[in-house]
Amino acid sequence: MSIAAVSVVDATPRGKIIAAVLVIGYALITMIPLIWIVATSFKSPPDSISYPPKVIFQPTLEGYVNLFTTRSRQTPEYIESLGPPKTWYDALVRERNMIITGPSRFAGRYMNSVIIGFGSTFLAVFLGTLAAYAFSRFRVPLKDDLLFFILSTRMMPPVAVAIPIYLMYRELGLNDTHLGMILLYTAVNLSLSVWLLKGFVDEIPREYEEAAVVDGYTRFQAFVKVVLPQMRAGIAATAIFCLIFAWNEYAFALLLTSGTAQTAPPFIPIIIGEGGLDWPAVAAGTTLFLVPVVVFTVLLRKQLLRGITFGAVRR
Amino acid sequence: MMSIHRAAMAAALLAGTALCAPAAMAQDKELTLCWAAWDPANALVELSKDFTAQSGVKMNFEFVPWTNFADRMLNELNSGGKLCDLMIGDSQWIGGGATYGHYVKLNDFFDKEGITMDDFLPAAVDAYAAWPKGSTNYYALPAMGDAVGWVYRKDWFERPEIREAFQAEVGRPLDVPKTWDELVEVARFFQGREIDGETRYGAAIYTERGSEGITMGVTNALYPYGFKYENTPGKYDMDGAVNSPDAVAGLEKYKELYECCTPPGHSDAYMTEDLDAYKSGQTALQMNFFAFFPGIAKDPNVGGDTSGFFVNPSAKVAASVLGGQGISVVAYSDKQDEALEYIKWFAQPDVQKKWWSLGGYAVHNAVVEDPSFPESTPFAGQFLEAMSNVKDFWQEPIYAELLLAMQKRMHDYVVADQGTAQEALDKLIEDWTVSFEDDGKL
Amino acid sequence: MSDHVDDSLSVPAASAARRRPPRAVRGLSDRWIATLFIAPSIVLLLAINIFPLIWTVYLSFTNFRANQPGREVNWLGTKNYARLLGSEDVWSYLQATAHFVVWTMLIQVAIGLGLALLVNKNFKGAPVWTTIILIPMMLSPAVVGTFWTYLYQPQTGIFSYIVDFFTGLGPIDMIGSVKLAPWAIVIVDTWMWTPYIMLLCLAGLRSIPDYLYEAAEVDRAGPFQTFWYITLPRILPFLMLAVLFRGIENFKMFDMVVELTSGGPGSTTELASINLKREAFEKWRTGYASAFAVILFVTVFGLGNIYVKALNRVKQ
């Protein structure tokens, strides 16, 4: 499915203009919060809480510096005794009578998001591809029930599943570990992954494999050499979905991680509470966290659209 | 090229390791201390540098903002996590920490090292170290005394035109409020007033919903009005105490203050929001913990002579909400010896004095009984006064459950304006009764 | 939902396999491959979804508390359930949840369907603008919730400022007011998820063959009639599917709202999942919370199944 596909009985030119105006209007309104987030990340803390809200302001990197550092307030005399600032960010912080005491935890949390996001995506797509192929091609006992069972696991509120998982992980020592989170996100994503990928496999004519088997391939070789390459687009679409879910997930991360494996989503909100309401720092963290997703959305929109509408289209 | 480079690196690394071996050995020892992310935590980082210098044990810190602190850390303790070796846990946790075995009992250690609780403020020992309350079973060393107090804009209070206006409107001289009635009068006077071309508001108070904010705020009014948790201490007989006419009057007063005299959008505010509102010049008064007062006194906008401090006003009795924490050794830690070493170091009178000078509220007698202490800062005397009549929330092992019930009932009544004060307190008793029944105490 | 599983493709293989004895294909037999390919997924789901679910059901009949491991665990029978269903507060959380689900769905369907019809006019640049519209739904709900608290600030927030600018109502306290807070969360959810409804409607629109419209034109049907008799029946299954997916998600809503309002003011936006988290991970009433979890799961499952039945009827 592509958005560019033409399947309309020709709209009148006037109709098109009205439609364009309305859609663009909606898109612009929808962008205001996003633009505001990015703009705020370049404001100074006083500018971020001025009334009326400032549209034109002197941009500064203070929010980003605050995001990546911890600071403490000192007397001007003490700061003077330290000699001239060594770096531009030292200088920036000292203007507020503060000194940098160390790096913040944001970079680590961000890395955790990357590790857990990509790790679980890889696993979910890997397992999903295998299962989808098997479901699509072989006679599997109780197939319908299994498929329905896989789908229904998505209906549990995450907080509800979190109770026993918390207990289980506590026993197994998986609480607050990367492995624990990767396994968990894999399990959550698996239902989506199996369902989406099965649709893609179903679309690949089975004659290709039959031909390969006739040529002397084993079933497994036929799967690897013939089917997998054809599934590329489907795998890409599925991977994006799994990644976006794992990247954005909050409830499990909040309840099951703390010092070691915490991802960015539960961390960003608590930047607020660290020594005054530092909205530019929150905005900076938000911006850095959103950028990959926005880039993904724009670059891979075709696969995304295919993934989103897939289940619906196939039925 | 590459391989030569790499070989050189390796050689350098090896040489480095060989040379630094003894130092590296010492640096191997590390401790992680968990606390809330706030001003005193920064002071503790500063103070702990001395410990690292003396013992060679590196200190790591895990600081969590207050609104997430209990949630995060209790979760950590309940899952037997090894993140924290030392925990500066909130006063209400001591019951759970002792009962569920999260904290190491310190009596033997105190005896061995000659640390005695007689050296600390009695109120602090009771609140931060002992469980059950009043016993001599110690699970923490009092680390930081704290209570809720008030900050006011001294510069505004002193301006002749403002004083005149107050006299004309209220019929008495503008002064630091001594009672809750006066407090509301003063807040009402400043609400919406133009000062220096900007609209100002009365008071920044605690109204936060998610953790413990509104409970800490409301009890600040309840205690002075004579609110009690039980008729007979230890009997859990709450009817007639929790919902006494005095308690109802106190709760209504707090709601009056919230409705008349807070800045717009003040429906979910706790420590940082209040600090922000006050420091940005929005409000004339601020309710907050003493822990923040050193920071306010140093603040570029409202520091120096701009701000004054006062103890929570009374109504029928003098009372303040207790804050503050003791420092405990986490039972799940692999490094309990080093952790005890830290506590031993921290308990020394000289370290306690430095702790106070850096902005931490030491409750060691060597500090607070020093004749110069009350005058040492603009808030030290008030601190001692507040600590002499502090009251704390339930310290029961199930305190979190009791707290959440109170959060809901108070926010429903004060902020969401549902029902009456009497109904809110009646429902609170119902909630608490169920909890105590489940816990086998009733 | 199980009757949707598309089985047609596997039938020939299955019947073929039944007729012949195992083929002498080199390598693993089909049955082995099938087992090997499916088993890891099933095992993982059993371990991380089904086993926990069964455990939850068991816990829901006990007074277990996860923070008191040493305590004796008693079998309570259905006491937790009785207490839950008899509690006024629980009904108010479910009401808040219902308000949230119903209104987000109604508003999003209205706007999403409208947008899809407009985008389907295929004006120049439509794909670019559609992509822009999609961005909010890709973002992290918790992070979005956090940031909207800033946008909603009555004095400094851009939302209040813009509304005030156009209406002159003065500063608006979206989060602090009992009347407005339930709408504050509806607005943010609408901002995030309307694009999703739009997309599925668009998929439905694109599935309508042109000849139907041409036939309508021949019959001199007005635009309203065309919409009512051709467009709507065709996109209704897509729309209902979108509502099903989003409805389930919103019934489970936790992250965005907890960061935006933490359930306040009072308990006006305390959705079921938010209360569940409080009971389970702050009060540590594990048994009681498990019972609540089971009730929520059964509700979602039941409503979902009824809905799917309706959906099937529409499709036929």
Side-chain angles (χ1 to χ4, degrees):
Chain A
M1 221 260 342
S2 151
I3 279 221
V6 180
S7 63
V8 210
V9 176
D10 30 314
T12 59
R14 210 170 124 240
K16 280 194 185 194
I17 290 170
I18 293 171
V21 168
L22 289 173
V23 170
I24 293 170
Y26 180 87
L28 292 179
I29 291 173
T30 230
M31 288 301 285
I32 293 176
L34 282 174
I35 293 169
W36 202 251
I37 293 173
V38 178
T40 305
S41 75
F42 292 105
K43 284 183 181 177
S44 66
D47 277 352
S48 74
I49 51 168
S50 70
Y51 188 84
K54 278 198 179 169
V55 180
I56 295 157
F57 55 91
Q58 181 73 40
T60 160
L61 287 175
E62 207 175 331
Y64 289 86
V65 172
N66 289 358
L67 176 67
F68 282 101
T69 59
T70 55
R71 301 155 310 284
S72 78
R73 182 171 297 286
Q74 299 294 345
T75 57
E77 297 79 41
Y78 176 79
I79 290 175
E80 223 148 273
S81 74
L82 293 174
K86 288 185 193 66
T87 56
W88 62 271
Y89 46 86
D90 267 333
L92 203 59
V93 168
R94 284 186 193 183
E95 277 170 29
R96 306 244 173 248
N97 283 330
M98 307 248 219
I99 55 160
I100 293 176
T101 51
S104 77
R105 291 165 203 285
F106 182 72
R109 303 298 195 248
Y110 202 87
M111 268 315 288
N112 283 342
S113 274
V114 171
I115 294 169
I116 292 169
F118 280 90
S120 68
T121 300
F122 172 78
L123 260 182
V125 172
F126 178 72
L127 295 176
T129 307
L130 297 183
Y133 178 74
F135 275 125
S136 170
R137 293 297 197 252
F138 303 125
R139 198 173 84 97
V140 177
L142 298 172
K143 177 194 275 184
D144 292 356
D145 296 321
L146 279 178
L147 277 169
F148 179 61
F149 151 70
I150 288 174
L151 190 67
S152 69
T153 55
R154 246 187 133 79
M155 291 193 187
M156 281 288 268
V159 188
V161 202
I163 299 170
I165 289 186
Y166 174 83
L167 298 170
M168 192 165 86
Y169 273 24
R170 189 166 75 179
E171 291 304 312
L172 299 173
L174 284 173
N175 258 348
D176 198 18
T177 59
H178 292 94
L179 178 66
M181 293 313 284
I182 289 177
L183 285 178
L184 179 60
Y185 287 168
T186 305
V188 176
N189 269 331
L190 206 49
S191 60
L192 181 82
S193 164
V194 171
W195 272 84
L196 278 181
L197 286 167
K198 180 175 176 292
F200 286 104
V201 184
D202 284 347
E203 278 190 349
I204 303 168
R206 49 177 56 239
E207 285 76 24
Y208 291 178
E209 293 153 80
E210 313 264 299
V213 170
V214 170
D215 287 349
Y217 281 26
T218 64
R219 189 54 120 150
F220 189 74
Q221 283 169 329
F223 165 66
V224 175
K225 300 215 168 123
V226 179
V227 180
L228 268 189
Q230 302 240 9
M231 286 175 71
R232 256 197 314 225
I235 287 176
T238 311
I240 296 163
F241 272 95
C242 294
L243 187 62
I244 286 180
F245 170 82
W247 186 253
N248 289 342
E249 207 284 331
Y250 169 80
F252 287 123
L254 177 75
L255 300 171
L256 302 175
T257 65
S258 58
T260 329
Q262 192 182 47
T263 53
F267 180 77
I268 289 174
I270 68 175
I271 301 171
I272 301 176
E274 288 188 357
L277 301 181
D278 195 346
W279 285 112
V282 177
T286 308
T287 305
L288 291 180
F289 191 70
L290 303 185
V291 161
V293 175
V294 173
V295 170
F296 259 129
T297 309
V298 173
L299 287 184
L300 300 166
R301 57 185 179 279
K302 278 192 183 144
Q303 278 86 339
L304 265 174
L305 299 178
R306 190 173 154 88
I308 292 169
T309 49
F310 202 79
V313 177
R314 279 195 62 246
R315 286 163 195 200
Chain B
M1 264 309 272
M2 224 17 215
S3 60
I4 294 169
H5 189 79
R6 213 178 275 165
M9 285 275 286
L13 267 175
L14 272 175
T17 339
L19 283 174
C20 304
M25 288 287 279
Q27 284 294 320
D28 269 4
K29 291 193 200 163
E30 283 185 22
L31 278 177
T32 303
L33 185 151
C34 297
W35 200 12
W38 57 337
D39 289 356
N42 295 333
L44 190 68
V45 173
E46 202 54 40
L47 183 72
S48 299
K49 285 177 182 164
D50 293 351
F51 175 71
T52 304
Q54 275 180 28
S55 64
V57 177
K58 185 175 172 244
M59 294 299 293
N60 299 316
F61 298 93
E62 180 76 21
F63 296 146
V64 182
W66 270 110
T67 42
N68 302 75
F69 181 53
D71 216 7
R72 255 291 295 285
M73 287 305 158
L74 292 179
N75 195 334
E76 182 70 26
L77 290 175
N78 285 322
S79 44
K82 292 178 194 279
L83 173 69
C84 317
D85 305 303
L86 287 160
M87 173 75 79
I88 304 193
D90 214 1
S91 53
Q92 304 98 323
W93 306 0
I94 193 92
T99 313
Y100 307 148
H102 300 320
Y103 292 164
V104 173
K105 193 175 177 186
L106 298 175
N107 287 51
D108 292 346
F109 165 72
F110 285 170
D111 292 345
K112 196 180 99 200
E113 301 295 345
I115 299 169
T116 160
M117 286 298 112
D118 297 342
D119 286 345
F120 293 86
L121 272 184
V125 175
D126 238 21
Y128 312 139
W131 180 259
K133 228 176 181 168
S135 77
T136 54
N137 300 314
Y138 301 121
Y139 293 89
L141 181 98
M144 160 106 187
D146 203 356
V148 177
W150 292 81
V151 191
Y152 69 102
R153 284 297 293 260
K154 206 171 167 190
D155 56 335
W156 295 351
F157 273 54
E158 282 166 356
R159 277 195 208 171
E161 74 274 15
I162 293 176
R163 298 188 65 86
E164 267 167 42
F166 188 86
Q167 178 77 44
E169 279 177 37
V170 184
R172 64 176 173 86
L174 175 58
D175 205 350
V176 173
K178 293 272 180 302
T179 66
W180 266 80
D181 287 335
E182 288 178 13
L183 180 80
V184 175
E185 269 175 10
V186 170
R188 203 187 289 278
F189 168 77
F190 279 104
Q191 182 78 4
R193 187 161 292 269
E194 288 264 320
I195 299 176
D196 302 333
E198 277 187 58
T199 309
R200 316 289 179 166
Y201 301 94
I205 61 175
Y206 295 163
T207 56
E208 186 250 10
R209 172 75 176 88
S211 64
E212 55 172 22
I214 195 160
T215 302
M216 293 297 125
V218 162
T219 46
N220 238 331
L222 290 180
Y223 296 146
Y225 274 83
F227 167 93
K228 286 195 175 53
Y229 289 99
E230 300 155 294
N231 291 308
T232 342
K235 291 274 179 248
Y236 304 98
D237 49 350
M238 298 168 289
D239 197 22
V242 168
N243 57 356
S244 65
D246 288 340
V248 170
L251 183 51
E252 282 170 347
K253 198 47 129 186
Y254 196 76
K255 184 177 162 81
E256 186 188 340
L257 179 63
Y258 169 72
E259 284 180 344
C260 80
C261 313
T262 48
H266 203 67
S267 59
D268 197 13
Y270 199 21
M271 306 175 203
T272 40
E273 289 80 5
D274 281 12
L275 277 179
D276 248 44
Y278 180 78
K279 283 185 183 171
S280 63
Q282 273 197 343
T283 65
L285 301 168
Q286 177 200 190
M287 160 194 278
N288 226 328
F289 283 102
F290 274 86
F292 294 106
F293 293 0
I296 293 171
K298 274 196 286 182
D299 189 82
N301 296 327
V302 294
D305 284 337
T306 313
S307 293
F309 306 89
F310 61 96
V311 179
N312 191 35
S314 69
K316 292 188 143 185
V317 291
S320 295
V321 167
L322 176 90
Q325 299 84 31
I327 182 166
S328 303
V329 176
V330 176
Y332 315 107
S333 158
D334 300 326
K335 301 169 201 148
Q336 294 182 6
D337 290 343
E338 284 94 340
L340 289 170
E341 200 59 30
Y342 183 88
I343 292 187
K344 183 182 156 191
W345 166 81
F346 182 73
Q348 299 170 77
D350 286 346
V351 177
Q352 290 281 314
K353 280 181 190 156
K354 185 164 182 197
W355 178 219
W356 165 248
S357 73
L358 287 172
Y361 282 81
V363 282
H364 198 281
N365 289 338
V367 178
V368 293
E369 283 183 355
D370 188 311
S372 68
F373 179 81
E375 303 305 321
S376 59
T377 66
F379 42 80
Q382 283 85 341
F383 171 65
L384 281 186
E385 189 187 336
M387 285 305 285
S388 68
N389 54 37
V390 281
K391 301 223 177 332
D392 199 9
F393 191 72
W394 295 105
Q395 290 191 335
E396 291 290 319
I398 55 163
Y399 104 91
E401 192 175 331
L402 305 169
L403 177 68
L404 281 160
M406 185 147 184
Q407 284 291 107
K408 174 177 164 60
R409 297 304 172 202
M410 296 302 109
H411 216 266
D412 276 352
Y413 170 65
V414 174
V415 178
D417 195 22
Q418 278 158 4
T420 64
Q422 184 73 49
E423 284 165 10
L425 293 167
D426 288 346
K427 279 185 181 162
L428 185 57
I429 294 179
E430 284 173 32
D431 295 340
W432 283 353
T433 305
V434 170
S435 296
F436 283 124
E437 279 170 1
D438 282 357
D439 200 41
K441 299 252 162 106
L442 267 178
Chain C
M1 233 182 292
S2 53
D3 30 16
H4 289 291
V5 179
D6 185 349
D7 215 358
S8 57
L9 274 168
S10 61
V11 169
S15 47
R18 220 176 295 138
R19 252 176 269 127
R20 277 180 264 157
R23 275 184 298 172
V25 186
R26 293 185 298 121
L28 294 167
S29 75
D30 285 3
R31 169 164 296 198
W32 267 104
I33 293 181
T35 314
L36 221 62
F37 277 19
I38 293 174
S41 297
I42 300 294
V43 168
L44 190 68
L45 288 175
L46 281 176
I48 295 190
N49 271 310
I50 298 311
F51 172 63
L53 178 58
I54 295 168
W55 199 354
T56 306
V57 174
Y58 160 72
L59 289 176
S60 72
F61 295 107
T62 70
N63 66 346
F64 179 69
R65 279 167 183 269
N67 66 339
Q68 301 179 21
R71 205 173 91 135
E72 189 188 357
V73 178
N74 293 323
W75 185 262
L76 294 184
T78 53
K79 193 174 154 201
N80 283 330
Y81 290 92
R83 198 188 265 179
L84 271 160
L85 296 175
S87 156
E88 271 175 45
D89 293 326
V90 170
W91 287 108
S92 82
Y93 307 140
L94 290 174
Q95 252 172 28
T97 314
H99 178 277
F100 178 67
V101 174
V102 169
W103 283 105
T104 50
M105 288 304 106
L106 284 178
I107 297 173
Q108 289 172 29
V109 164
I111 304 179
L113 180 58
L115 275 177
L117 291 170
L118 292 173
V119 168
N120 207 36
K121 302 259 184 229
N122 257 335
F123 55 88
K124 208 169 163 226
V128 175
W129 292 105
T130 314
T131 310
I132 288 176
I133 289 176
L134 291 187
I135 290 174
M137 66 179 268
M138 304 295 168
L139 309 181
S140 163
V143 174
V144 162
T146 308
F147 210 84
W148 271 83
T149 59
Y150 174 65
L151 303 179
Y152 273 148
Q153 293 289 317
Q155 285 194 299
T156 55
I158 184 85
F159 182 89
S160 166
Y161 183 75
I162 291 176
V163 173
D164 184 25
F165 186 84
F166 285 108
T167 62
L169 289 172
I172 292 168
D173 190 3
M174 287 298 288
I175 299 175
S177 138
V178 177
K179 283 209 185 82
L180 296 177
W183 298 104
I185 58 177
V186 168
I187 290 173
V188 179
D189 193 76
T190 302
W191 175 73
M192 273 193 89
W193 290 107
T194 300
Y196 181 82
I197 308 267
M198 173 194 84
L199 261 184
L200 285 197
C201 288
L202 211 50
L205 285 172
R206 298 279 156 83
S207 75
I208 305 174
D210 283 355
Y211 68 81
L212 283 180
Y213 287 112
E214 283 153 17
E217 213 162 328
V218 172
D219 291 345
R220 290 169 192 273
F224 179 76
Q225 281 167 314
T226 314
F227 177 77
W228 192 254
Y229 291 108
I230 297 176
T231 314
L232 199 58
R234 284 279 173 157
I235 56 171
L236 202 54
F238 291 83
L239 194 57
M240 286 187 73
L241 207 65
V243 169
L244 173 71
F245 288 156
R246 283 310 308 156
I248 290 178
E249 288 300 315
N250 275 1
F251 193 89
K252 305 192 302 191
M253 172 53 74
F254 175 70
D255 36 16
M256 184 270 282
V257 175
V258 94
E259 284 304 335
L260 190 56
T261 67
S262 47
S267 312
T268 25
T269 58
E270 182 142 340
L271 307 183
S273 277
I274 296 178
N275 183 255
L276 177 56
K277 189 254 174 183
R278 291 210 162 118
E279 294 292 340
F281 289 93
E282 293 178 29
K283 293 187 181 177
W284 297 97
R285 291 155 71 162
T286 317
Y288 177 84
S290 298
F292 198 11
V294 171
I295 290 178
L296 289 183
F297 179 61
V298 169
T299 312
V300 178
F301 207 78
L303 289 178
N305 270 313
I306 295 171
Y307 188 92
V308 168
K309 292 248 159 65
L311 179 67
N312 284 337
R313 198 159 299 157
V314 167
K315 276 168 92 174
Q316 277 152 17

